Amino acid sequence: LRDAPIPMKKSMSVEIKAAKNEYESFIMVIHPNLRMDNVRIEISSLTHTDGVTTFDSEKFQIKKVEYVKVTKPTDSYGFQGYWPDPLPEYNVPQTLTPGENHPFWITVKIPSEAKAGNYTGKLTVSSGNWIYKTDIKILVWDFALPKSPGMRSGFGLNMNNIKKYDNIYSKEDELLVFDQYMQAF
């Protein structure tokens, strides 16, 4: 959440384990004491321990976690306030306000042809003269996930609950939201 306390446990690196052809994500949260202008996040290419094999930073996708103001909670867990929800693409430098959490959702797609083993690279956050760097370590297992699932799945969907949750009143909106749920699933 925007005002959640800073975790006590800190790590000096990001460590990921994944199969070939798998997406894996992590969250980086910046909590500045002062306003930060022109914040840039960059990820280097990752190099295998053999020193030769790499995969480039274009395999990473960075999204900024934004907030939605909730004025009417929809269940007993919820409360009024700002909740993290939208994930717009991070593609321009950001201005970060002090005293708030600014999360970034970072996803890497492990290439299906990646060589198994350990890869390392750098994640760099900068703002003006301030620079923070941390290591990214990825262990790629020696197997690949299939390009498409080999098993079908089923799920139930109650449009009456969705209409209440999303405040849908017209048939046109119901069809549009139904299509969006189908795309999400």
Side-chain angles (χ1 to χ4, degrees), residues 6-170:
I6 298 170
M8 299 304 286
K9 183 179 178 185
K10 297 185 182 194
S11 177
M12 300 312 294
S13 64
V14 174
E15 297 182 23
I16 297 172
K17 296 176 183 175
K20 300 172 189 181
N21 201 41
E22 182 176 11
Y23 290 89
E24 192 64 46
S25 300
F26 63 93
I27 296 176
M28 176 185 65
V29 180
I30 302 172
H31 186 98
N33 293 324
L34 302 171
R35 178 184 163 110
M36 295 176 71
D37 292 313
N38 202 28
V39 174
R40 296 178 184 277
I41 300 170
E42 297 170 330
I43 299 171
S44 71
S45 294
L46 280 81
T47 305
H48 191 275
T49 51
D50 67 9
V52 177
T53 309
T54 63
F55 65 87
D56 61 39
S57 60
E58 292 176 4
K59 302 294 183 202
F60 285 86
Q61 180 183 56
I62 304 172
K63 295 187 174 194
K64 173 78 165 75
V65 178
E66 294 291 355
Y67 294 89
V68 173
K69 186 174 185 179
V70 173
T71 57
K72 182 179 176 187
T74 56
D75 58 28
S76 60
Y77 175 75
F79 55 86
Q80 291 183 346
Y82 288 92
W83 282 79
D85 188 43
L87 293 170
E89 293 285 335
Y90 164 83
N91 49 20
V92 296
Q94 303 278 309
T95 296
L96 306 183
T97 53
E100 295 180 352
N101 293 323
H102 297 274
F104 291 86
W105 185 277
I106 302 172
T107 302
V108 61
K109 168 68 162 69
I110 307 300
S112 58
E113 69 281 357
K115 183 176 182 177
N118 292 299
Y119 290 79
T120 57
K122 291 280 185 195
L123 181 145
T124 304
V125 181
S126 62
S127 174
N129 293 329
W130 180 85
I131 296 175
Y132 174 80
K133 291 185 179 192
T134 192
D135 292 326
I136 296 179
K137 301 174 183 178
I138 300 178
L139 170 62
V140 176
W141 288 315
D142 196 17
F143 66 92
L145 296 181
K147 290 184 179 177
S148 60
M151 184 173 80
R152 298 181 91 178
S153 62
F155 59 91
L157 185 66
N158 184 329
M159 278 308 292
N160 289 329
N161 290 337
I162 292 171
K163 289 192 296 188
K164 288 178 191 174
Y165 182 80
D166 288 325
N167 297 315
I168 298 171
Y169 300 105
S170 74

